[in-house]
């Protein structure tokens, strides 16, 4: 196993599929938003050369539509299912190439690491992921990019793994200080439509009824699924902080990467409030 030999903080940043694509359309990238986000990431790295960024992004209007049509998340068994499996992987990597190329255009040393080449699942759960390329990329001062993708499954034949599932798996080894979830919403809302400033294991049950799904098609679950999975993560890693915020606000990603609380949104933490 390759050991960590890089210095500086490790930050996970996820650009939500709803942020970089229009999830109500098919394969439509929000080019202006993606271009601005790439510039913000580039400025962050320039301002803090010791910052180690692992970038992830959702599939948005690319992967979720064919995945829902073919039921890929639930399993892949028939010949038609495998055609769907291939199609989901194709469009997911298509979006990833667009994201990577935008980052490279801003001078960032970004490299795509295709999850389906590294991951093995069992009954929908991620059980194996090759860590070495991620560690070596960070050690070389590169920005590894992962994304929601197809994966082979020992019981289902094939399935889909979300960006959050991959990041959760990787975080146990990399121990990031922050996990930033940049989406199109300003945070997690309560039943009155107000942003919940902090979510922890202490108050989750009281706010659970307010958590709904997601706009557009999302085969990996909506906000409730994401919050629950993130709470499990901070329970395992009490020093990790997770922020859910809007990447549509200019400079928000740059501020988040700098650790500024002015980003706002919702803070998810495992330590008592």
């Amino acid at each position: 196993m390759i050991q960590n030999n890089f210095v500086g903080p490790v930050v996970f940043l996820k650009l939500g599929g709803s942020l970089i694509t229009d999830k109500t359309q098919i394969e439509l990238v929000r080019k202006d938003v993606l271009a601005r986000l790439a510039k913000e990431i580039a400025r962050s790295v320039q301002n803090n050369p010791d910052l180690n960024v692992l970038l992830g992004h959702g599939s948005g209007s690319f992967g979720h539509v064919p995945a829902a049509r073919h039921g890929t998340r639930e399993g892949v068994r028939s010949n038609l299912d495998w055609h769907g499996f291939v199609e989901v992987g194709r469009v997911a990597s298509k979006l990833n190439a667009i994201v990577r190329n935008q980052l490279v255009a801003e001078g960032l040393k970004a490299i795509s690491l295709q999850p389906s080449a590294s991951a093995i699942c069992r009954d929908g759960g991620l059980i194996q992921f090759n860590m070495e390329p991620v560690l070596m990329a960070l050690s070389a001062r590169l920005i590894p990019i992962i994304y929601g993708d197809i994966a082979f499954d020992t019981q289902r034949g094939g399935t889909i793994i979300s960006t959050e599932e991959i990041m959760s798996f990787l975080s146990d080894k990399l121990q990031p200080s922050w996990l930033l979830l940049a989406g199109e919403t300003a945070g997690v809302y309560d039943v009155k439509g107000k942003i919940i400033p902090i979510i922890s294991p202490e108050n989750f049950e009281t706010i659970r009824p307010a958590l709904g799904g997601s706009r557009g098609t999302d085969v990996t679950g909506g906000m409730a699924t994401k919050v629950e999975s993130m709470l499990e993560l901070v329970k395992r890693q009490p020093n990790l902080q997770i922020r859910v915020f809007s990447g549509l606000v200019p400079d928000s990603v740059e501020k988040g990467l700098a650790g500024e609380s002015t980003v706002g949104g919702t803070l998810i933490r495992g330590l008592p409030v």
Side-chain angles (χ1 to χ4, degrees):
M1 172 69 71
I2 303 295
Q3 298 299 312
N4 298 5
N5 61 351
F6 46 86
V7 297
V10 178
V11 175
F12 287 6
L13 169 63
K14 186 215 173 178
L15 305 179
S18 61
L19 174 63
I20 60 175
T21 75
D22 184 342
K23 289 180 72 173
T24 66
Q25 304 295 319
I26 297 177
E27 296 187 25
L28 181 61
V29 176
R30 289 175 164 176
K31 294 181 180 180
D32 56 337
V33 173
L34 181 57
R36 174 179 56 78
L37 294 170
K39 291 181 184 297
E40 291 187 29
I41 297 170
R43 287 198 300 267
S44 298
V45 173
Q46 183 178 15
N47 293 334
N48 184 3
D50 289 334
L51 180 65
N52 298 285
V53 180
L54 182 141
L55 182 68
H57 65 82
S59 285
S61 63
F62 284 68
H64 288 291
V65 174
R69 184 169 63 247
H70 293 282
T72 309
R73 178 84 166 182
E74 287 70 40
V76 182
R77 297 174 180 86
S78 70
N79 184 52
L80 184 60
D81 289 345
W82 285 113
H83 276 288
F85 185 78
V86 170
E87 175 63 10
V88 174
R90 184 188 71 81
V91 296
S93 63
K94 180 179 178 180
L95 176 59
N96 176 253
I98 295 171
V99 174
R100 181 197 63 228
N101 292 344
Q102 189 67 59
L103 295 173
V104 171
E106 292 299 329
L108 291 165
K109 301 189 297 293
I111 179 172
S112 297
L113 299 179
Q114 182 180 347
S116 58
S118 295
I120 297 294
C121 293
R122 179 187 298 128
D123 199 20
L126 183 60
I127 59 172
Q128 293 180 32
F129 195 94
N130 187 0
M131 297 284 300
E132 281 82 351
V134 176
L135 294 172
M136 294 183 74
L138 290 170
S139 297
R141 310 301 301 171
L142 306 181
I143 296 179
I145 310 173
I146 52 96
Y147 54 96
D149 197 10
I150 54 175
F152 290 103
D153 190 297
T154 59
Q155 293 186 25
R156 300 183 185 183
T159 188
I160 290 175
I161 45 176
S162 70
T163 312
E164 287 92 349
E165 288 171 319
I166 300 170
M167 286 184 160
S168 178
F169 191 93
L170 295 176
S171 68
D172 288 329
K173 172 64 178 179
L174 294 174
Q175 298 288 307
S177 56
W178 281 97
L179 197 169
L180 304 171
L181 301 176
E184 67 172 350
T185 58
V188 182
Y189 297 100
D190 63 17
V191 290
K192 296 181 179 179
K194 295 183 178 180
I195 295 175
I196 303 169
I198 299 177
I199 297 177
S200 73
E202 294 178 308
N203 69 352
F204 177 64
E205 291 304 321
T206 63
I207 60 94
R208 185 199 291 268
L211 305 181
S214 67
R215 192 172 68 91
T217 304
D218 190 338
V219 297
T220 58
M223 185 61 77
T225 301
K226 290 177 173 58
V227 171
E228 288 190 68
S229 64
M230 293 302 102
L231 275 174
E232 289 301 315
L233 180 55
V234 295
K235 286 178 184 178
R236 298 201 310 267
Q237 299 180 30
N239 293 323
L240 172 65
Q241 297 189 87
I242 301 172
R243 190 176 295 280
V244 181
F245 64 102
S246 173
L248 292 176
V249 178
D251 302 325
S252 59
V253 165
E254 185 175 359
K255 290 177 180 178
L257 288 171
E260 297 182 19
S261 60
T262 54
V263 177
T266 299
L267 182 66
I268 301 175
R269 54 185 294 179
L271 296 174
V273 177

